[in-house]
Amino acid sequence: MWIFLGIVAALALYALLTYNRLVALRQRVGQAFADIDVQLKQRHDLIPNLVETVKGYAAHERSTLEDVVKARNAAISAQGPGQMAAAENALTASLSRLIALGEAYPDLKANANFQ
């Protein structure tokens, strides 16, 4: 009888510990997604400053700046991990073109706001 109670107690303890671990892992996943969202929001908030800085130096490169703004707006309004990933990839590509634009203008490259 004591052996049976010991086995039942061990199984109950195992189930409790497993449940607690699963809950903790679920919380960590939720926190990780929240951290990603915060980083993406911060990135999205800094893009208008970068666009304004570049506008002063490269007014004739309007299409590059418009692409960055469109990509940013698409990234902000994206819902779900799949859409967010696609929108962030498009934003990264347009920002890469913007950085290349900065390299084409030495005065812009030296500007602290652009850096």
Side-chain angles (χ1 to χ4, degrees):
M1 170 106 163
W2 288 107
I3 294 173
F4 177 72
L5 288 176
I7 292 173
V8 169
L11 288 175
L13 182 62
Y14 177 75
L16 181 67
L17 292 175
T18 301
Y19 175 77
N20 285 340
R21 175 139 172 84
L22 291 174
V23 169
L25 290 174
R26 182 176 55 198
Q27 291 296 326
R28 288 177 62 189
V29 167
Q31 184 63 41
F33 276 113
D35 291 345
I36 290 170
D37 287 341
V38 167
Q39 291 295 322
L40 292 177
K41 180 166 177 20
Q42 182 181 17
R43 179 183 185 195
H44 299 157
D45 291 344
L46 291 175
I47 289 173
N49 297 340
L50 180 63
V51 169
E52 287 301 318
T53 301
V54 175
K55 272 185 185 178
Y57 287 93
H60 60 281
E61 300 286 352
R62 181 178 218 97
S63 65
T64 302
L65 299 174
E66 288 174 353
D67 288 345
V68 170
V69 172
K70 287 178 188 174
R72 175 188 178 262
N73 291 337
I76 288 174
S77 64
Q79 298 293 321
Q83 279 186 342
M84 288 175 70
E88 287 302 320
N89 287 337
L91 180 59
T92 299
S94 64
L95 284 174
S96 296
R97 287 191 300 274
L98 184 65
I99 298 301
L101 177 69
E103 291 174 357
Y105 295 93
D107 291 338
L108 177 60
K109 192 173 180 182
N111 188 322
N113 290 332
F114 183 75
Q115 295 295 334

